[in-house]
Amino acid sequence: MPRQTFGQDLLELAAQEMVAGRLNRRDFLSLLGATGAAAAFAAGTLSSTPVMARAKEIVIANHGGDAVTGMAEAWGAPFTADTGIPVRVDGAGPLAGKITAMVESGAVAWDVCDADGFLCGQLGKKGLLEDVDYSVVDKSMVRAGWAWPQGIANYAYSFVLAYRKDMFPDAPPTYADFFDTKKYPGKRTMWKYQMGAMEACLLGDGVPKDQLYPADVDRAIAKARSLGDDIIYWESGAASQQMFLDGEVVMGNIWNTRASVLDRDTNGDVTWTWNDGLYQPSAFIIPRGNPAGVEVQRFLASVLEPKRQIRLLELLGNGPSNPAASAMLPPELQRLDPGFEPNFAVQVLRDEDWYEQHYDAAVERWIDGISG
Amino acid sequence: MQFYRQIMATESIHRIILTTLRITALTSIIAVVLAYIVAYALAHMGPRQRMLLLLCVLIPFWLSVLVRALSWLILLRNNGLVNSALLETGLIGSPLPLVRNETGVIIGMVHYLVPYAVFPIYAAMQSLDSRVFMAARSVGGRPWRVFFDVYLPLTVPSVLGAGLLVFVFGLGFFITPAILGGGRVVMLSEYVSISVLQTVRWGLAAALSVLLLVTTLALIALVRRFAGAGKLLGAAR
């Protein structure tokens, strides 16, 4: 099964939310009609054929599921209202390999792709991406360091430590507790694809927060293996959530979006701590030769507006990349935003430079190390 | 060439290849044995029961591999149906680790592959001339001797054919191990997928794919020599 990315998971989560009646279906439907997202939705979810951009139209590629409708509503609809340019969302999953293949074959179907922050530099340096035009896009609207030559942070999310409240009634666990299976018996879960899990292992092995990078991957693998049969690796966000609901695991290193839904659905029986969370940017990148050309720059600029950033947090649970948006959140959203200052202060910021240089080798070593 | 050298020199890739071969071989053997029993039953029962059993083989055959993997997960996990039933009857004290490990992967793969082995073996059993067995019995062969000396040897080509078919399928498995392996059972095709889509090491991925292809072709050649092409094709038709 191909790796499910965070963005993909968001979409899935939002679909469940709508089915559960927590997202407004009427708004959602009128929006689908207005933006033509229905076709994109169908194309994105029912087939793997990429949606080809027509003239004067922006096609966002993200990871499917609920992010298709979420991004269409939070970012596509207001942009269309401002400019008259339709925005379509294709949930085909723009992984690095697909973007590379698309650009190299000269058949680029996407204008912007939802990607990990460090991919901006990684793919950008291979000449696969267009530059962001910072005369149109305002660099100061994202956290320092999150505006790259070829890409800009569009939202942020965290890997957090989720746990069973009855096991830790007084204070949330630390990653030292996470690896202490004698004191706290039960299974744990971490992401299969290295990210978040590696940092959790290092913190649990006593590496200080500010010395995580450059990361010692082999040390992290050894720590992960020390859990023996008490570790289950999750592949999809839905699985990480389900394992808590089924009582299969007692602690987990999971996405904050899933943690907050678990907390809500279990009335706090499963909850999470921001302590030692891994905070990281997602980014919009423009594949070289994108069909809409420079028009896409205005779209990138529009996405960073605080109101639109907050709308995405409401719809999908992921945090604004614009600190100004985090600062103006209503109280009920403050607990949910990984970038809200008190939450941000106790977390670790992922080192995008380290990931840019080492991610490929690290994920492969990790997979080798945890399997077999 | 450098990628082939990389495959030769990288210990972790060896481990993944070994895991793939071990799981696939185990799966094939179990699947073929089960399939032989099912096919034997199919070939020697009344038409009504045969319809029923065929249906039982075919229905899971039509289900998506994803659905089947997830169903096994629900059945076999710690608080799943199988473990809770065993716990309640007091047969076991703590849940058996049936899933999210290699056992789970093998159960899932065997279940997927049994129908693929049933049909070639069944077809071969049906085409056997029953007069041969009557002849065997008329010269005084006991039922078990007739089976082992006459019936089994006559169906061996189809068993080999089915085993090969299942083995070749098994080599390419990747959804089932990804779901039922708990993240710790990584087989070759999943590794190729990671190399293509995520880490963009296309050279290595291509080399591994070629390796897989060559292995498959070599296997087919081997069994052709072993069983004879005509029989194999006839059996697998």
Side-chain angles (χ1 to χ4, degrees):
Chain A
M1 166 177 292
R3 161 193 152 180
Q4 190 202 32
T5 62
F6 178 74
Q8 204 167 12
D9 188 57
L10 273 181
L11 290 179
E12 215 175 290
L13 190 57
Q16 284 169 18
E17 294 296 279
M18 204 186 71
V19 172
R22 280 181 291 260
L23 265 188
N24 187 327
R25 178 181 290 268
R26 198 183 49 217
D27 282 359
F28 170 76
L29 285 178
S30 61
L31 185 101
L32 282 183
T35 60
F41 185 78
T45 53
L46 300 180
S47 77
S48 58
T49 321
V51 180
M52 292 300 290
R54 291 191 301 258
K56 278 281 181 185
E57 168 184 71
I58 306 264
V59 175
I60 307 176
N62 64 20
H63 299 280
D66 276 356
V68 172
T69 52
M71 285 190 187
E73 174 168 351
W75 295 344
F79 182 75
T80 307
D82 289 349
T83 61
I85 300 172
V87 175
R88 294 208 280 159
V89 183
D90 177 0
L95 292 174
K98 290 192 200 166
I99 297 173
T100 309
M102 217 176 236
V103 173
E104 283 183 354
S105 67
V108 178
W110 300 326
D111 290 300
V112 278
C113 302
D114 191 18
D116 271 308
F118 58 84
L119 278 179
C120 299
Q122 211 178 56
L123 298 180
K125 279 167 192 159
K126 289 185 191 162
L128 296 168
L129 304 178
E130 301 280 352
D131 290 348
V132 176
D133 181 354
Y134 285 110
S135 66
V136 179
V137 182
D138 184 356
K139 232 180 217 188
S140 71
M141 286 173 87
V142 294
R143 205 171 278 278
W146 284 8
W148 298 273
Q150 292 98 9
I152 189 155
N154 53 354
Y155 61 82
Y157 63 102
S158 290
F159 282 94
V160 295
L161 178 48
Y163 60 97
R164 289 245 310 261
K165 183 79 180 165
D166 59 353
M167 207 168 212
F168 300 92
D170 306 317
T174 64
Y175 280 114
D177 300 331
F178 188 88
F179 288 95
D180 191 344
T181 47
K182 285 212 177 69
K183 199 165 165 197
Y184 303 104
K187 297 202 177 203
R188 282 84 162 125
T189 185
M190 301 195 282
W191 200 29
K192 180 176 172 182
Y193 297 99
Q194 181 265 344
M195 215 180 281
M198 178 192 76
E199 283 83 355
C201 289
L202 292 174
L203 290 168
D205 210 25
V207 177
K209 254 160 115 166
D210 54 351
Q211 288 168 31
L212 278 180
Y213 306 100
D216 184 344
V217 183
D218 291 331
R219 180 172 175 181
I221 290 170
K223 189 71 178 172
R225 290 186 75 95
S226 76
L227 283 171
D229 284 333
D230 280 329
I231 177 78
I232 300 171
Y233 290 96
W234 56 271
E235 183 128 12
S236 70
S240 69
Q241 192 179 335
Q242 195 61 39
M243 282 192 262
F244 272 104
L245 291 176
D246 294 338
E248 277 199 86
V249 296
V250 295
M251 278 184 263
N253 181 256
I254 65 176
W255 287 325
N256 65 294
T257 46
R258 291 290 176 180
S260 62
V261 172
L262 271 170
D263 181 277
R264 187 194 63 207
D265 289 353
T266 63
N267 293 317
D269 289 344
V270 176
T271 188
W272 84 99
T273 174
W274 290 112
N275 290 341
D276 291 345
L278 184 71
Y279 184 55
Q280 54 203 298
S282 177
F284 267 154
I285 52 178
I286 313 165
R288 203 182 68 210
N290 68 302
V294 294
E295 215 61 74
V296 75
Q297 306 284 349
R298 280 160 74 200
F299 175 73
L300 285 193
S302 78
V303 158
L304 304 177
E305 283 176 23
K307 268 174 114 175
R308 298 179 191 185
Q309 292 262 299
I310 293 172
R311 188 74 188 120
L312 200 76
L313 172 64
E314 277 173 345
L315 288 173
L316 302 179
N318 49 355
S321 58
N322 184 346
S326 290
M328 56 192 268
L329 290 174
E332 72 273 14
L333 290 179
Q334 289 174 351
R335 160 84 169 134
L336 304 183
D337 174 17
F340 180 64
E341 191 48 41
N343 303 339
F344 174 68
V346 295
Q347 294 183 75
V348 184
L349 190 61
R350 185 176 72 187
D351 186 333
E352 299 306 299
D353 291 336
W354 187 85
Y355 268 93
E356 182 187 323
Q357 286 167 34
H358 300 289
Y359 173 66
D360 292 357
V363 73
E364 234 141 18
R365 274 248 286 296
W366 178 265
I367 298 270
D368 297 344
I370 63 166
S371 63
Chain B
M1 256 345 265
Q2 73 182 88
F3 297 110
Y4 293 99
R5 270 202 294 275
Q6 194 179 343
I7 293 175
M8 300 304 285
T10 316
E11 202 193 317
S12 61
I13 296 180
H14 296 169
R15 212 171 51 223
I16 286 172
I17 292 174
L18 276 179
T19 310
T20 308
L21 291 177
R22 186 182 62 239
I23 291 179
T24 312
L26 258 172
T27 306
S28 307
I29 293 168
I30 301 172
V32 167
V33 170
L34 291 178
Y36 198 89
I37 299 169
V38 174
Y40 190 86
L42 271 176
H44 299 274
M45 64 184 12
R48 277 184 67 113
Q49 292 109 307
R50 179 180 301 155
M51 279 299 290
L52 228 96
L53 186 59
L54 260 176
L55 214 63
C56 292
V57 177
L58 276 173
I59 286 174
F61 188 64
W62 288 326
L63 287 179
S64 120
V65 62
L66 196 65
V67 172
R68 289 202 246 174
L70 290 172
S71 313
W72 278 116
L73 197 62
I74 291 166
L75 281 175
L76 297 179
R77 67 188 178 201
N78 278 359
N79 51 3
L81 226 55
V82 173
N83 267 319
S84 26
L86 287 175
L87 278 172
E88 258 164 49
T89 52
L91 284 171
I92 49 171
S94 58
L96 295 173
L98 292 173
V99 81
R100 297 211 167 91
N101 52 27
E102 218 170 284
T103 316
V105 175
I106 291 175
I107 293 175
M109 282 177 65
V110 166
H111 178 236
Y112 187 88
L113 292 170
V114 161
Y116 287 95
V118 166
F119 292 113
I121 299 177
Y122 172 58
M125 285 179 178
Q126 269 207 320
S127 66
L128 292 179
D129 190 341
S130 60
R131 285 173 300 184
V132 175
F133 311 114
M134 283 197 269
R137 245 171 251 157
S138 72
V139 296
R142 291 210 184 83
W144 63 268
R145 264 208 79 175
V146 174
F147 178 80
F148 281 104
D149 287 354
V150 185
Y151 198 94
L152 194 60
L154 279 172
T155 50
V156 156
S158 73
V159 167
L160 285 174
L164 171 83
L165 192 71
V166 167
F167 192 85
V168 168
F169 266 120
L171 281 178
F173 259 58
F174 108 88
I175 289 176
T176 308
I179 292 177
L180 297 176
R184 279 184 292 152
V185 183
V186 176
M187 285 172 62
L188 202 53
S189 47
E190 191 182 0
Y191 195 76
V192 170
S193 151
I194 293 171
S195 303
V196 169
L197 287 173
Q198 282 192 70
T199 57
V200 198
R201 299 207 299 190
W202 289 354
L204 179 68
L208 284 171
S209 310
V210 168
L211 186 76
L212 208 53
L213 186 68
V214 169
T215 314
T216 309
L217 290 176
L219 277 170
I220 294 173
L222 192 78
V223 175
R224 272 174 66 129
R225 255 188 82 178
F226 201 24
K231 276 184 193 163
L232 175 60
L233 289 176
R237 188 157 43 218

